[in-house]
Structures are given as structure tokens and as C-alpha cells.
Amino acid sequence: MMEPAAKQKVIYITYLIAALDITWLFLQFSITPYLARRLGFDTIWFGYLQTTVGVIQLLGGPIYGRFADVFGARAALSVSCLASVVYFLLLTVADNTFMLFVHKLPAVFMHGLPGAQMVVADLSENEKRADALGKLGLCFGIGMIAGSSLGGTLSTRFGEKFAASFAAVGSFVSLLLVLNFIPKQTKSPPMQESNKKGSSNSVFNVGEITRLMKFPGVAKTFTVKIISGLPAGIFQVMFSIIAMNFFQLKAEQNGYLMAYFGIVQMVIQGAVIGRLTSRFSEYSLLLLSVGVSSLVGLAQAMMTNVFHFCLIVIPMMFSLSVFSVITDSMLTKSVSPSDTGTMLGLCASVQSLLRTVGPTIGGFLYETYGVPSFGYIQCVINAAVFSLLLATGGRSQPHKPKKM
């Protein structure tokens, strides 16, 4: 049994690993679009590339989560960091269309943020879990700002291959941190015994993954996570096109806007969510996030310039951050402690699903109905979800598992 001080140290190291992982991810975002354009990719083919990554991670998410439950957090994070090293090394030699697609294959194992969530969920107390998971959003904001700035600078001054090589070395540093500071098993001994006795040790056992939906409250919360998150996910996938064509932003201006996103998210997840979770129930915060998301959608439908959007970003990031943290926290509390990794893997697959269907749906809406359509759909869907949640109340809320 780990001492509280030792647990806190591991959590802080995990935050550092998560921040580094997001940094390398956003560094890659500064490389791939320009490399794809140089190789002759048009918007359609770049959409195929994004969809490929979405499908790969959609398939890998639940299996990765199950792998973490069976073999432990250190093994899972090690696999993710090693896959990142291979991913960026392949990017350095991607000089044709085929190799640009091939370099995406290791993404099936690249789930650094879900892996960090698994460690934090295992080591944090139930009542403090939402706040602890929220702090990972602070790491995301730091990584977003650092990665975007670093990627642009390295690519401009030293070239895309150097930037990719730098990310590969950075991913190797993350791997060393995992091997040296993350315990082999972050679950308590009773949880480990429960996992051994109550379920199969097969990573590819689909039944072990799908059975989680039978726990009280899981199916409802998971459905809300998908349906309510779909409109915002589509908008995020299409944002690069919206920024270029609707807002007429140049690459440098878009970089400043991304940094603004990161700062807002850092403030909300680092300073706001913890205070909210200590004062209000998770179900109340879920209602709040869905309600605010509906209003954000209405505002997006009415915006006409980038200044309007900058004002909308604050409530938008608030609703997205609270919604993501609260649903993840509710879902991990709804299953047995030995299954938190698998559940977080399923949660990660929701984002992959949005990246998979987002380009197709978003492209159709953008070409046919324009930017306001994204806002109106988000407003209507989230208003419907809000009404349903309000009508059902807390009757289907996830149960609170007994302390081990």
C-alpha cells in the first residue's frame, strides 16, 4: 500500500509526463499539415488522413485501457511512449503519400493522456478524483501552448525532419520518466485481486470491455457523453477550415488563437473545476455544462467575426472542460476500481469516434449550410439532452462504490 505522500509524488510526475506527451502531439500538428501540402494533399486527402488516425485510435482505445487494467499503468504508459518514438521516427522519413499514412499506424498504441488519467484515477480518492483529473487539463493547456510554439519555431528554422526528430527524442525522455517513476501497479492490492478473480486476463476479451455498460448509470452517462459531445467535436475537427476561410486568419494569427485557447483551458481546469467539484454534485455540474454548451451553440450560430468568437471561447472551453472531466469522473466511479483503465479507454474512444465521423459530417454541413449550422445543431441537441437530464433527475446517477 502506497503512502499518501508517495501517491502524490507519482501523480505530480504523471502530470509532467502528460504535459510532455501533449507537447509532442501539438508539435506534430505544426508539421503534418505543411508536409501533407508539400506532398500534394488536397483538403479531401487530408481529411482521409485525419479519419485514418481516428479509426486507428478508436480501435486501440478500449484495448489499451484493458491492457492497463491487466498489466498495470507502467506497462501501458511505456507502450504509449514507445509508440510515440516510432511514430515520430517514421515521420522523419515520410517523403511520400504512402509513408505519411504508414507513420500514423503506431497511433493505435498512443494514448498518453488516457494512460495518465488511469494513474490519477487509481491514486486519487473518490471525492477528489474530478479535481485531480481536471488538473490534467491544465497539463493539456501547457502542452498545447508549448507544442504549438515549439513546432512552428523548429519547423521554420530547422525544417520538418528536425522537428520530428526532436519530438522522437522528447518521447524517449517521457519513456525514461515512466520507467523510473511510475509504479508497476497503481491499483491497491484488493483491486488487483478483484481483477484476477473476477475477470479474464485477456486484453482482447470484448466481453470484458462491453460488460462495463451493464453497471448502473454507465450506459446513460456514456450515451450523454457521445450525443452531447458530437456537435462540439465536429466544430473542433472543422476549426482549421473555419479559421482559414470564415475568419480569414493567417497561420501566425491562428497560432495566437490556439495559444489563447490553451490559456483559457489552463485557467478553467487548474483554478475553476476544483472549486466547483468541492461545492456542487457531479450531476449538477453535468447539467450546467450541457446547458452552457447549448447557449454556446446559439452564440456560435450568430457570430460574424473572430472577435465574437474570442468572447465565445470562454464559455465554450468552460462547458467542454467541465463536461469532459465530470463524465470521466462519473464513469470511473460507476465501475469497480479494477476496471477504471478499461472505462477510461472507452472514454478516449469517444474522442476518436468524433475524429472519425467529424470530417465527413462537418464537411457536408460546412459546404451545404455554412458555419451557423454547427451552432444551431449544437444548441438544439444539447437543449434536448439538458431537458432529458432534468426530467430524469438523479434517478440513474452512477452508484458510489464502497471503499475497499
Side-chain angles (χ1 to χ4, degrees):
M1 195 72 171
M2 292 179 65
E3 295 294 327
K7 285 184 178 182
Q8 200 59 48
K9 179 183 176 182
V10 173
I11 289 175
Y12 286 145
I13 295 294
T14 304
Y15 289 156
L16 174 60
I17 293 169
L20 290 173
D21 182 78
I22 299 301
T23 299
W24 314 137
L25 178 67
F26 274 88
L27 187 148
Q28 178 259 152
F29 289 159
S30 300
I31 301 172
T32 306
Y34 299 98
L35 180 59
R37 185 171 63 183
R38 188 159 53 79
L39 293 176
F41 277 48
D42 57 15
T43 304
I44 295 176
W45 272 96
F46 191 68
Y48 290 155
L49 189 66
Q50 288 181 301
T51 301
T52 299
V53 178
V55 171
I56 289 172
Q57 292 206 307
L58 175 63
L59 297 173
I63 295 173
Y64 180 84
R66 180 69 187 150
F67 180 90
D69 282 336
V70 174
F71 295 103
R74 182 199 292 170
L77 279 172
S78 297
V79 167
S80 178
C81 293
L82 190 59
S84 294
V85 173
V86 176
Y87 178 93
F88 287 113
L89 288 177
L90 287 174
L91 183 57
T92 62
V93 297
D95 54 2
N96 56 60
T97 300
F98 176 74
M99 283 304 299
L100 196 59
F101 275 92
V102 167
H103 107 272
K104 298 292 186 182
L105 294 179
V108 71
F109 302 114
M110 290 170 60
H111 298 276
L113 188 58
Q117 289 176 320
M118 294 169 196
V119 175
V120 172
D122 285 342
L123 297 181
S124 58
E125 299 295 331
N126 269 0
E127 60 272 14
K128 296 181 180 179
R129 183 172 299 171
D131 183 30
L133 290 172
K135 293 295 191 297
L136 281 171
L138 178 63
C139 302
F140 191 96
I142 294 171
M144 181 191 295
I145 296 171
S148 300
S149 305
L150 193 60
T153 302
L154 292 178
S155 297
T156 302
R157 295 189 178 183
F158 305 105
E160 294 150 357
K161 289 190 176 183
F162 179 85
S165 301
F166 188 90
V169 173
S171 297
F172 184 72
V173 171
S174 298
L175 176 61
L176 294 179
L177 287 172
V178 170
L179 294 175
N180 282 283
F181 294 102
I182 303 299
K184 182 178 180 181
Q185 188 59 258
T186 53
K187 299 183 187 297
S188 64
M191 295 180 195
Q192 297 173 41
E193 289 301 318
S194 173
N195 193 38
K196 290 177 182 177
K197 292 178 182 179
S199 60
S200 165
N201 279 338
S202 172
V203 172
F204 299 97
N205 190 330
V206 178
E208 286 297 320
I209 296 173
T210 57
R211 73 179 173 83
L212 300 185
M213 291 298 158
K214 299 176 183 177
F215 281 81
V218 169
K220 174 184 174 181
T221 307
F222 202 78
T223 302
V224 169
K225 189 175 183 70
I226 294 174
I227 295 175
S228 184
L230 180 61
I234 293 173
F235 182 83
Q236 289 172 1
V237 168
M238 294 299 297
F239 182 72
S240 59
I241 302 297
I242 293 171
M244 283 190 296
N245 299 338
F246 186 73
F247 294 138
Q248 299 291 312
L249 296 183
K250 298 178 181 178
E252 185 179 7
Q253 294 170 322
N254 190 41
Y256 292 145
L257 190 58
M258 292 298 292
Y260 173 56
F261 282 179
I263 292 170
V264 172
Q265 182 168 14
M266 285 168 60
V267 172
I268 291 171
Q269 302 230 25
V272 177
I273 290 182
R275 288 180 169 84
L276 289 176
T277 55
S278 65
R279 289 173 172 78
F280 304 100
S281 70
E282 291 183 336
Y283 202 78
S284 298
L285 292 176
L286 177 62
L287 273 171
L288 175 65
S289 64
V290 173
V292 171
S293 183
S294 179
L295 296 176
V296 165
L298 183 61
Q300 285 178 348
M302 300 173 69
M303 69 181 178
T304 57
N305 55 56
V306 72
F307 176 72
H308 292 164
F309 182 66
C310 286
L311 296 177
I312 295 170
V313 163
I314 297 174
M316 182 183 80
M317 295 304 292
F318 172 82
S319 63
L320 287 174
S321 299
V322 173
F323 182 78
S324 177
V325 170
I326 294 303
T327 51
D328 285 355
S329 178
M330 290 174 71
L331 287 168
T332 55
K333 291 177 183 178
S334 298
V335 300
S336 63
S338 60
D339 291 316
T340 53
T342 307
M343 178 51 72
L344 284 167
L346 285 169
C347 291
S349 291
V350 172
Q351 298 302 317
S352 301
L353 175 65
L354 299 181
R355 286 198 298 271
T356 302
V357 302
T360 303
I361 299 175
F364 171 77
L365 290 174
Y366 182 81
E367 293 293 337
T368 310
Y369 302 106
V371 173
S373 64
F374 297 116
Y376 285 125
I377 290 174
Q378 179 170 328
C379 177
V380 171
I381 288 179
N382 280 279
V385 172
F386 180 84
S387 301
L388 182 63
L389 289 173
L390 202 60
T392 57
R395 293 195 298 273
S396 298
Q397 286 187 65
H399 73 291
K400 293 184 179 180
K402 296 177 181 179
K403 292 184 179 180
M404 301 299 293

